[in-house]
Amino acid sequence: MKLLTVLGSTGSIGRQTLEVVAGNPGLFSIYALAANSRVKLLAEQARRFKAKKAVIADKRYYGELKNRLADTNTKVAAGRTALCELAADMQPQLVVNALVGFAGLEPTLLALQAGKKVALANKESLVAGGHLVMPLAMENKIIPIDSEHSAIFQCLQGERAESVESIVLTASGGPFWGRTVPELENATPEEAIRHPNWRMGKKISVDSATMMNKGLEVIEAHWLFKLDYDKIKVLVQRESIVHSLVTFIDGAVLAQLGMPDMRVPIQYALTYPQRMTSSAARIPWSKLDKLSFTPVREDSFACLALAYRAGRTGGSMPAVMNAANEEAVGMFLSGKIKFLDIPRIIEFVMNKHKVIAVPDYSCLVEVDREGRLLAREYAKKKG
Ligand code: NAD
Ligand code: MG
C-alpha cells in the first residue's frame, strides 16, 4: 500500500486522483487531504477515504470541518501553516500537488526537502521557482501529472538525456482556436472556460483559452527535462490524442497517445515505474479519420510569445509573469477586464519588472506580490 497525501483534493485534478485511488483498491491508502474552502466536499472525501488528517487552508471553515468529522478518527487543522506542515509530513511516500497557482510552490519545496516524491500537477511551482525546485528533485523525485509532460516523461524512459534533439508539446488550441483578434475582443468568461476536450478548473481553462497554459508548460518542460527553449516547440493537435512528442538525435520520433482523460497520467504518476490496468476509454481507431498538427499563430495568442520571452529572460521574470497572469485571469473571471486585456496586462508588468538573477523563495514572494499589484494598477488605470 502506497501512502498518499493529496493537496488540492477538491479540485479537478484532486477529485480525479481520488477516483484513481478508488479504482485501484489495495494499492493506495490516503494519509491526508487538503483544500482551500470547499469544506463539505473535503469532509466527505476524508470520511470516505478514512484520511488520518484533513486540512482546510481557509481558517474560517475550521469549525465546520471539525463538526463534520467529529465522529471520525481524522485529525483536523486549518490555515496556511497547517497546509505547509502537511506537505513536509514524514508519513506518506508520495505527495500529490494538485493546488492551483503560486500557492503551490512552497508545499512543493517543503515536500521535496522532506525527501518525499511529488506527483506534480501544479505547474506554477516550476514556472515561478524551477531553479529552487529542480536541485531538490534528483532521481525522478518529481513525476509530472500534466498530460504533455507525462507523455514526454514516458517517451524518455530508458533514454539518455544526450539522445534528445527536441520536443513538441501539443496543444488543443482551446475554445478560441481559429478566431481572429477582433473576434476575441468581447469573449466572455463562460465562453473561455468551455474547453472542447478537457473539463478543468477555471484558472487553467482560461489559461488554455489565452494559450498561456502552453506558455507555462514550455517553462515547466524547460525545467523538468533540462532543455533549452529553442528545443521546445508547440503544435496544435486539435483532437488532444497525441499528448506530446520527442525527436531523438537519430531522427526517430516517439509520441504518447491516448484519449483525453487526466486519470491516465495521474495513475501513471501514482504507480510509476509500474503500469496498472485502467478502464479509461481506448482510442477508437476505426472512427478516427485524422490526427492534425498545426503551428500556432502568435498574433492571435500573444501569451505564448510572452511566456517564451519570460523563460528565456529567466531569473524572476517567469515568476512575475505568472503573478500577472494569475491576477489578470482572476479579474477577467470576475468581469473587471476584457479577455484581450490579459496579455496586455502581462506585457505591461513584464516591461516594468527589474529582473533578479537568482531569487530565493522569500524574494519570489515579493516578486509575486509586485506582479499582482502592478497588474491591478494597470487594470484600474484603464478601467
Ligand atoms: P482547481 O481549481 O479545480 O483545484 C484547485 C485545488 O487547490 C482545490 O482543491 C482548491 O481548494 C485548492 N486550492 C486553491 N488555492 C489554494 C490555496 N491558496 N491554498 C490551499 N488550497 C488551495 O484546479 P485544477 O484544474 O485541478 O488544477 C490544479 C493544478 O493542476 C493547476 O496547476 C493546473 O494548471 C494543473 N493541471 C490541471 C489539469 C486539469 O485537467 N484540471 C491538467 C493539467 C494540469
Ligand atoms: Mg497540460
Side-chain angles (χ1 to χ4, degrees):
M1 287 276 246
K2 220 183 236 179
L3 205 53
L4 307 182
T5 286
V6 184
L7 306 176
S9 63
T10 58
S12 159
I13 294 290
R15 293 193 311 270
Q16 293 181 84
T17 301
L18 293 179
E19 282 179 39
V20 169
V21 168
N24 287 280
L27 227 53
F28 309 106
S29 151
I30 295 295
Y31 176 70
L33 299 173
N36 195 35
S37 58
R38 291 181 69 182
V39 60
K40 185 165 176 268
L41 179 57
L42 177 64
E44 282 166 13
Q45 292 175 336
R47 184 181 291 278
R48 177 167 174 219
F49 290 92
K50 299 191 169 54
K52 302 264 180 305
K53 297 185 179 181
V55 169
I56 190 97
D58 188 330
K59 284 184 174 167
R60 288 173 300 177
Y61 299 101
Y62 174 72
E64 185 177 347
L65 186 62
K66 202 156 175 54
N67 287 341
R68 286 184 180 274
L69 292 171
D71 61 331
T72 69
N73 292 324
T74 306
K75 276 196 193 145
V76 170
R80 177 77 187 170
T81 311
L83 177 83
C84 287
E85 280 169 10
L86 200 59
D89 194 301
M90 295 314 286
Q91 291 295 320
Q93 285 117 311
L94 183 71
V95 174
V96 179
N97 186 343
L99 300 169
V100 61
F102 180 76
L105 170 59
E106 192 180 15
T108 298
L109 292 170
L110 291 168
L112 290 170
Q113 275 158 4
K116 308 281 104 184
K117 283 202 169 190
V118 176
L120 188 67
N122 179 257
K123 61 191 83 184
E124 296 90 347
S125 285
L126 287 169
V127 172
H131 63 292
L132 302 178
V133 172
M134 289 318 289
L136 302 169
M138 298 302 166
E139 293 156 27
N140 294 328
K141 273 265 163 22
I142 291 185
I143 307 130
I145 283 181
D146 212 351
S147 57
E148 297 77 4
H149 305 74
S150 175
I152 305 275
F153 187 76
Q154 292 179 53
C155 293
L156 291 180
Q157 292 304 305
E159 301 287 350
R160 294 180 321 152
E162 309 84 81
S163 305
V164 176
E165 186 172 276
S166 62
I167 64 172
V168 172
L169 299 179
T170 53
S172 69
F176 298 146
W177 181 247
R179 296 218 203 159
T180 60
V181 175
E183 285 169 349
L184 291 178
E185 193 58 60
N186 293 316
T188 65
E190 292 70 33
E191 290 171 309
I193 61 177
R194 215 179 293 136
H195 196 277
N197 303 341
W198 304 96
R199 292 283 153 272
M200 312 181 284
K202 280 187 184 164
K203 192 257 176 184
I204 184 177
S205 296
V206 177
D207 285 347
S208 297
T210 62
M211 286 198 84
M212 178 50 94
N213 183 48
K214 215 45 57 181
L216 300 175
E217 291 184 355
V218 165
I219 301 174
E220 182 185 12
H222 162 80
W223 287 111
L224 277 175
F225 307 116
K226 300 181 177 58
L227 289 171
D228 288 345
Y229 286 97
D230 296 340
K231 294 185 169 186
I232 307 171
K233 303 176 188 351
V234 172
L235 283 176
V236 170
Q237 208 291 292
R238 257 331 240 168
E239 299 80 22
S240 292
I241 284 178
V242 181
H243 297 309
S244 277
L245 318 112
V246 180
T247 302
F248 292 93
I249 46 178
D250 58 358
V253 178
L254 294 190
Q256 187 256 333
L257 283 72
M259 297 303 281
D261 182 341
M262 284 309 295
R263 289 169 299 184
V264 176
I266 292 170
Q267 176 165 309
Y268 185 77
L270 299 193
T271 64
Y272 175 82
Q274 265 114 41
R275 287 186 188 272
M276 294 291 160
T277 54
S278 158
S279 57
R282 303 312 198 236
I283 297 174
W285 292 108
S286 58
K287 290 191 198 129
L288 196 72
D289 54 345
K290 66 169 185 195
L291 287 171
S292 58
F293 296 91
T294 326
V296 181
R297 289 190 336 266
E298 283 188 359
D299 52 338
S300 293
F301 295 99
C303 284
L304 184 58
L306 288 170
Y308 268 105
R309 183 185 136 198
R312 288 194 166 104
T313 305
S316 55
M317 192 59 107
V320 88
M321 176 202 75
N322 178 68
N325 180 57
E326 281 187 35
E327 204 59 35
V329 169
M331 289 190 286
F332 170 66
L333 284 170
S334 58
K336 294 196 181 87
I337 61 167
K338 290 189 152 198
F339 184 72
L340 292 176
D341 290 329
I342 297 174
R344 287 180 197 128
I345 287 175
I346 297 167
E347 189 170 13
F348 168 81
V349 172
M350 284 172 64
N351 288 345
K352 282 257 170 184
H353 182 61
K354 300 265 177 301
V355 177
I356 299 147
V358 191
D360 61 12
Y361 179 70
S362 57
C363 181
L364 285 178
V365 172
E366 277 312 307
V367 167
D368 183 72
R369 193 169 307 162
E370 172 204 313
R372 288 168 196 273
L373 205 71
L374 282 171
R376 281 198 300 271
E377 267 172 25
Y378 179 86
K380 212 184 261 169
K381 239 184 274 163
K382 265 208 66 200

